[in-house]
Structure formats: C-alpha cells, structure tokens
Amino acid sequence: MSNDSPRIVRAACPHDCPDTCAMEVTVEQGRAVKIRGAKSLPFTNGALCTKVAHYLERVYSEQRLLYPMKRVGRKGEGRFERIGWDEALDTIADRFRAIAADDPRAILPYSYAGTMGLVQSSGMDRRFFHRLGASLLDRTICASAGAAGWKATIGAGVGMDPEAIVEARLIIVWGGNPVVSNLHGWRYMQEAKRRGARLVVIDPWRSETALKADLHLAPMPGTDAALALAMMQVLIDEDLLDHDYIASHTLGFDALAERVREWTPEAAAMHTGLPAEVIRQLARDYGKAAPSAIRLNYGLNRCAGGAAAVRAIACLPALTGAWRHAAGGALLSTSGSFPVDVRALERPDLYPDAAARPPRTVNMSQIGEALLGADDPPIRAIYVYNSNPLAVAPDSNRVRAGFMREDLFCVVHEQFQTDTADYADILLPATSQLEHRDVHKAYGHLNVVDNQPAITPLGEARPNSEVFRQLAQRLGFSEPALFESDDEIAAAAFKQRDMRALGLSGTLAEQGWARLNLPRPYAPFARGGFFTPSGRCEFFSQALADQGIDPLPRYVPPHESPLSNPELATRYPLAIISPPARNFLNTSFANMPRFLAQEGRPTLAIHPDDAAARGIAEGDRLRIFNDRGAFHAHAVLTDGARPGLVVAPSIWWQKLSGDGENANAVTSSRLTDMGGGPVFYDCLVEVAIA
Ligand SMILES: Nc1nc2c(c(=O)[nH]1)N[C@H]1C(S)=C(S)[C@@H](COP(=O)(O)OP(=O)(O)OC[C@H]3O[C@@H](n4cnc5c(=O)[nH]c(N)nc54)[C@H](O)[C@@H]3O)O[C@H]1N2
Ligand SMILES: Nc1nc2c(c(=O)[nH]1)N[C@H]1C(S)=C(S)[C@@H](COP(=O)(O)OP(=O)(O)OC[C@H]3O[C@@H](n4cnc5c(=O)[nH]c(N)nc54)[C@H](O)[C@@H]3O)O[C@H]1N2
Ligand SMILES: [Mo]
C-alpha cells in the first residue's frame, strides 16, 4: 500500500455514550487529517458530536503521554521522569510477582469506559487479571442499579428500537438528557416531534432537552419511583389498561394493583414535589396515547432507589400494552441484544485455584473504602486503565486518601496526565482509538461497529491489550489466550454461531458496521417473550423474593433529602446533582483547551429564591459543602433549577477546576438499593459565598 495516497479507515467512536458512532478517518502520509461520521450507518448519519468531531485534536494533543514514566515527586504532585518500556514492565512484573506470592487478591485492576471497545476494555485485561488471580472489580459506577431494576422486570438489557421512536405519539424522556448525552438518538425524537408526537421530559433540572419539551416535570431527585407508582395507580383506577396484554404477558397484576392502591397522585406529590393534578394528567395522557415510548436514561439511577425507579417505570408499558407497537414500549439500554461471548472474551476460567482461594470482588464505587479499609488481604497494588477514579468516583477526599497511601503500588495507563495519573508510581502511555484495533457493541442502538487502526501509535504509546500480553510474558504465564492478537480477540468477541446467524461477520468487515439481524419493524415484546424466568413482564419477581428483596415495585426514598433525612437537611438543605456538561464526556475532553473555553469555569445553577436567601448574586464564587468535603463554582441564577436543587455541570478535572476539587468532593459513596451502584445525585449540601 502506498503511503502517500489518502485512504479512508473505518473506525468506531470509543466513548461512553449510547450513540457509538461509525467514523471515517482520512489518513495521508501516515497522519490522520480528517474525521467524520459515517454516512452509511443511519444512526450516525454522517455527523459526529462537537467533542468527537474534534477527536484529532485529542489524538495529536501536545498533552498526550508518549513515554513510560516513573514518579519522582510525592504522590499526587505529578512529577515524573521518563523511563523505557523494559524498565516500566519489569518494575510492574516484579512488584506483582512479589505480591502474588503472598496473595494475588491484594492486586486490584480498576477500569471503566475510557474506551467501550470489547478488545481494549474487556478482553486481554480481564484474561490477564483472571490468570493472575487478582481481585475482581465490580464495575458499578454508571449503570448497575438501573440494569438490576430493568432485569428484574424485563429480564435482560433489551428494549425498543430507538429508530422506531419516530412513529410514537407520546415520548417520555425520563432521567436522560439526549440533546447532550445521546445526540443521535435525539434526532429520531425530533423527527417524531415533527410528525406530531408530544414530548414530556421528567428531570429535576430544566436540561437542554427539557427546554424542547411540550411538558417538563421537575420532581425532586430520587423520587421517580413514587411518580411511576402513582401513574400505575391512576392507570388501574381509571382502567386505562390493556387487559389482554396483562393476562397473556405479565405476572403478578393483582399483587401490583394491591401495592399501588396507596400510591395516589396526592401521596406521590408529597415525595416528588409535583402537583397531584399534573401527575394524574400525565398518567391519563400516557394511558391514552398509542404508540407511547419511554426513553429512560441513567440520570435517574444515581440515587438510593435507582433500581426501584427503573423497575417501576419498566412496568408501565406492560400495563398499557405499549409493547405491541414497534414505536412503543421503553428503552434503557440495547446492550443485551448483542451476542457478546463474555466467557470467550474474558476467560474467567483462567482464574487459578478458585476453590483454594475464592475470588474477592471490590465495588469500584467504593474505591476509597477499599483502599483505606482493613479487608483481608489489604489492597497493595492497583492498576488503573480506561478510568480516572480520582475525579469520577464518589467522595473524592476519601479516594484521594486511599491513593495517597505510601505503601500502595499504583500503575496508571493513560492518554493524558489526569488527576489519577498524578498518583501513579509507574505511568504508561496509552494509544488512542485511531492507533489500535477494536470492535464495539452499542447501548443506544442495534449495530456492531468495527474499529481498524488508522495510524501507528504516537511516541511509545501502546494499547491496553499489548501491555497485558507483555506483562503475561514477564510473569511466565503460558496460556495461549494471553497471547492472542487483537484481531483474534475481536473475532472471538461475539458468539460465532450467532454472528453467522445474524449475518454479521461479512458485512462488518466490508462496511465497518452491521445491524443485528432483527426484524424491521422490531417490537421485541409485542407477543410477550420477556427474558425473565417466567417469560412474562414480572410485576411480581420471585427472583427478588428469593434474594430477600421486596418482590413488587416499590419506592425507596433517597439517602439524603429533606423528607427522608430532615436532621441532615437542617444543616444541608439543598439537593445537588452533577450531570454531564455538554462539552465534556465524563472527564474525557475536560482538559482540551477548546472545550475548557466553551465551558468557561465550574458553575452552579441555583434558583433565585435559594440564592436570595443566601445573599448570592449572579457570578459569585460559591463554596458548596457538606460533612464530606467542599468544592467551588460560580453562581448562575436560574429558575431552571427547581427550588431546593442546585446543579453543577460535570465532570471537571480537579486540577483544572481552580480549587483542586470537583463535585465529587461532596458526593457520597453509599450505594443503591440493588446493583451496588453509586448515588451521585443523592446528596445534600449547603452553599455560601466563598
Ligand atoms: N456530552 C456528554 N454526553 C455523555 C456523557 C457526558 O459526560 N457528556 N456521559 C455519557 C455517560 S457515561 C452516560 S452514563 C450517559 C449519561 O447520560 P444520561 O443517562 O442522560 O444521564 P445524566 O446525564 O447523568 O442525567 C440525565 C438527566 O437526568 C437528570 N436527573 C438527575 N437526577 C435525576 C433523578 O433523580 N430523576 C430524574 N428523572 N432525572 C434526574 C439530570 O438533571 C440530567 O439532565 O451519557 C453519556 N453521554
Ligand atoms: N459527580 C459525578 N460523577 C460521575 C458522574 C456524574 O454524572 N456526576 N458520572 C459517572 C458515570 S455515568 C461514569 S460512566 C463515570 C465515568 O468514569 P470513567 O470511565 O473513569 O470516565 P472518564 O473520566 O472519561 O475517564 C476515562 C479515562 O480513560 C482514558 N482512556 C481512554 N481510552 C483509553 C485506552 O484505550 N486505554 C487507556 N489505558 N486509557 C484510556 C481517558 O483518557 C480517560 O482519562 O463517572 C461517574 N462519575
Ligand atoms: Mo456513564
């Protein structure tokens, strides 16, 4: 192949967003010169979001880490010295070998979704740590509560086809902000609006999406289950039901009807802060519209009752029979539709001697506790990749204290010198998506997207997979699975039989993406066929009962709210949420000059009444605090934040925020009702002029 003629390489956007775009990268003389959304994939439709449209600025940023380094300053100080790969890998292998000789569970991998690619986020990394016998990581930090609530009701991460929503008559966006966080999905909702659909947004904050709604309901955070239970009460009370659907495809209707009897709109009004009449009217509109679609997103699963909220909402379309239509039903995630071969990818069977030494699992949402705790064995080494825990994990003062431990050996593999990188003993340079091979499923559409390397790695950057292959070799492991190439891992990612049945393999290589071979229109539960043990939509769940959990939909109040914890609220009366800022992707892009300039400075939206009560004026520098910590932001006075609520668009790098902290200084590391999820949006604070 000639090096000089421009060529187009097919790629996948690696970021943690429902849209997983197919991309086309133009490469000239070994350099990527242009990136654009693929026109051929309808969901991407030739367009990228503003962040990824500038992905080349990220790839070629002068901030990129290009060489392995070792720490020369104090932990957290961020002073490093260049070393060679051999020294870096030998150091890691020696430390791991010594620790593993005592107990390999004292080594903890820590990763999330810096890339969502199956090869670079759940392939060789998992195989390596399984073979090592390291602690297992429970990857809860985003979606595990909602996933648990959905699974108890529907059975698997399967929902309506987001493309079919164009024909819905009523769309409820519930706990999501698609204009910001699911832009390509939003295009289909806009089309539905053009065709006359009514859009209702349920969000405590008047988000960019709420601004476009026909009706915006702003409940207090963490009270969505109360709203959903009251909607069910009205649907049943006023007989806005699909009796045939309920009889044929659901389980436990009578018990549900009994449960929701007390959940009148008046009862829900007390918890949600919404007028009872508005709740009643929403239930009536929902009961009468067909098709009706609910687009849930993860914004509502970050509270004590995150799973309960999703479970209650997931019951609604079975009551009205909305699932009968392709344009009806509900969607939280499409990820369960993909035939990912988890066992082949991750090889849990490589774990040595599980009988003699049972695996130990650490919940990533409580990494501070895990590092500071007296668990047996204590964590002596942590290997961070695809994640920035100092900035993204809750209760960051505790997280920081954990990473400060002098006796903790810390490896960070990164593209940039993040807040977490500053705590590394060994800091390794990672490739970007243009420099490595991968293959992606999606959680907001039904296509597999391929990623071919477009350019050679910058500097001495290496892919995650390559570093684990080299560590495996240094540790003397010999299993062939630890030495497979990225192409081989990609080929093993999906169940081969299903790949053939789905017609994926050929098309994927040819066009860079392939739609799952599902019917069009696709109405997954039109004739039942839920993935639950009973095959029905389970209003009553025996599986939950068996775990000692309430088998019926219920309301779990927030850990921290004026109603659920009045004593705490006397000191910290304001609920805070910290949803994504438009120009950041978690903390990714939050170091790029272009996007920092667009976000300006950390801000806190506050209702004018709450501001007046504290003498706060527009632009004032504020201190936002509770018993866990404090951070600073500048006041934006707006009735877009309902009274009693403040909003801090996130996630800022701590070291770029102006005061070394971000919103996670105040968030709590308590967990959700199911799924062990974090409760970022279940948090009380006080605010004062700094
Ligand atoms: N631009 C951009 N896009 C992103 C991301 C990003 O950081 N930036 N992050 C990506 C990731 S990792 C994820 S998980 C998704 C997240 O995207 P979403 O699932 O949309 O979740 P959030 O943005 O956390 O919250 C969405 C909305 O929920 C509201 N909300 C907060 N608490 C509650 C509540 O208790 N009830 C209800 N009903 N609403 C509530 C927030 O005000 C917010 O407007 O987006 C992805 N896309
Ligand atoms: N207060 C508050 N906290 C939150 C949230 C919130 O809404 N509010 N949202 C939560 C949610 S939904 C999520 S998903 C988490 C996100 O948490 P994370 O998944 O940790 O997301 P990022 O902050 O984007 O960090 C990912 C890092 O991976 C790096 N990376 C990218 N590609 C590669 C690669 O190929 N190899 C290696 N080694 N590194 C790579 C990137 O440079 C980046 O620094 O944050 C959570 N934290
Ligand atoms: Mo997330």
Side-chain angles (χ1 to χ4, degrees), residues 16-18 51 112 142 174-178 180-182 202-205 207 219-224 297-303 443 577-587 647 650-651 681:
D16 187 357
C17 159
K51 298 175 296 299
Y112 201 63
C142 173
W174 203 326
N177 183 11
V180 163
S181 54
N182 177 202
I202 302 174
D203 190 318
W205 155 241
S207 68
M220 284 301 281
T223 63
D224 300 279
N297 225 316
Y298 291 104
L300 60 66
N301 93 143
R302 312 198 202 290
C303 296
Y443 67 97
I577 58 174
S578 46
R582 186 181 203 136
N583 293 290
F584 299 161
L585 195 298
N586 300 318
T587 67
V647 183
S650 290
I651 306 171
Y681 303 167

Side-chain angles (χ1 to χ4, degrees), residues 476-495:
F477 299 156
S478 56
E479 290 78 0
L482 297 172
F483 301 96
E484 280 180 10
S485 69
D486 290 355
D487 283 332
E488 287 170 309
I489 303 172
F494 295 99
K495 292 183 184 134

Side-chain angles (χ1 to χ4, degrees), residues 564-583:
S564 62
N565 196 339
E567 187 279 321
L568 187 68
T570 57
R571 285 180 292 143
Y572 303 120
L574 297 170
I576 185 171
I577 58 174
S578 46
R582 186 181 203 136
N583 293 290

Side-chain angles (χ1 to χ4, degrees), residues 172-176 202 224 227-228 231 295-297 300 313 316:
I172 302 182
V173 168
W174 203 326
I202 302 174
D224 300 279
L227 176 57
M231 286 175 71
R295 183 61 166 108
L296 298 84
N297 225 316
L300 60 66
I313 295 165
L316 289 166

Side-chain angles (χ1 to χ4, degrees), residues 268-304:
M270 192 182 78
H271 293 279
T272 57
L274 297 171
E277 247 342 280
V278 171
I279 299 174
R280 188 168 282 113
Q281 192 57 46
L282 175 67
R284 286 177 182 153
D285 293 346
Y286 180 71
K288 288 174 186 159
S292 66
I294 303 179
R295 183 61 166 108
L296 298 84
N297 225 316
Y298 291 104
L300 60 66
N301 93 143
R302 312 198 202 290
C303 296

